[in-house]
Amino acid sequence: MDADPKCPQCGCEHAYPDGSLWICPECGHEWNPQAATAEGTADDATVRDANGNVLADGDSVTVLKDLKVKGSSLVVKGGTKVRNIRLTDGADGHNIACKINGIGAMNLKSEFVRKA
């Protein structure tokens, strides 16, 4: 009985199978344990650059194209090398925090950089 999965929503140990789904009698939650494990491996919160390389804190990246700085007349030129990046969980898609010489601190999207 220890092999039976617990309910991912409430943690109940009394879940029972019904076809390919498991059902929790306490909260009524239904889930597929095979799909849940596949989602867990796919959603590992890795940040990848434009070429698909995995980025980490402290990496150096190169900007791929000219990027306008919002609220300013400054432009980050394509080919600019950015050192010592920090990965963030930006809700607006900007998942890299960095400091660019001549511009200052800013956030970038990982789709516009490649690992240097």
Side-chain angles (χ1 to χ4, degrees):
M1 290 300 277
D2 291 337
D4 291 344
K6 293 182 181 180
C7 176
Q9 195 164 21
C10 69
C12 174
E13 297 178 355
H14 305 292
Y16 60 91
D18 184 27
S20 64
L21 296 177
W22 282 78
I23 300 174
C24 176
E26 291 184 8
C27 67
H29 180 66
E30 298 179 359
W31 75 98
N32 185 346
Q34 288 82 18
T37 56
E39 289 175 7
T41 57
D43 188 30
D44 54 3
T46 57
V47 176
R48 297 183 179 269
D49 67 357
N51 295 336
N53 299 320
V54 177
L55 297 174
D57 285 343
D59 282 346
S60 294
V61 295
T62 304
V63 178
L64 293 176
K65 67 178 208 168
D66 291 353
L67 300 173
K68 295 180 182 178
V69 178
K70 190 172 186 177
S72 172
S73 62
L74 299 173
V75 175
V76 178
K77 295 286 187 182
T80 302
K81 189 169 184 177
V82 181
R83 297 184 181 141
N84 197 19
I85 65 169
R86 293 177 313 280
L87 301 180
T88 61
D89 187 25
D92 57 352
H94 294 84
N95 47 9
I96 297 174
C98 61
K99 187 181 279 187
I100 299 177
N101 291 336
I103 295 178
M106 66 180 311
N107 294 331
L108 298 172
K109 291 185 179 182
S110 60
E111 63 194 56
F112 298 121
V113 298
R114 65 177 164 85
K115 196 169 186 175

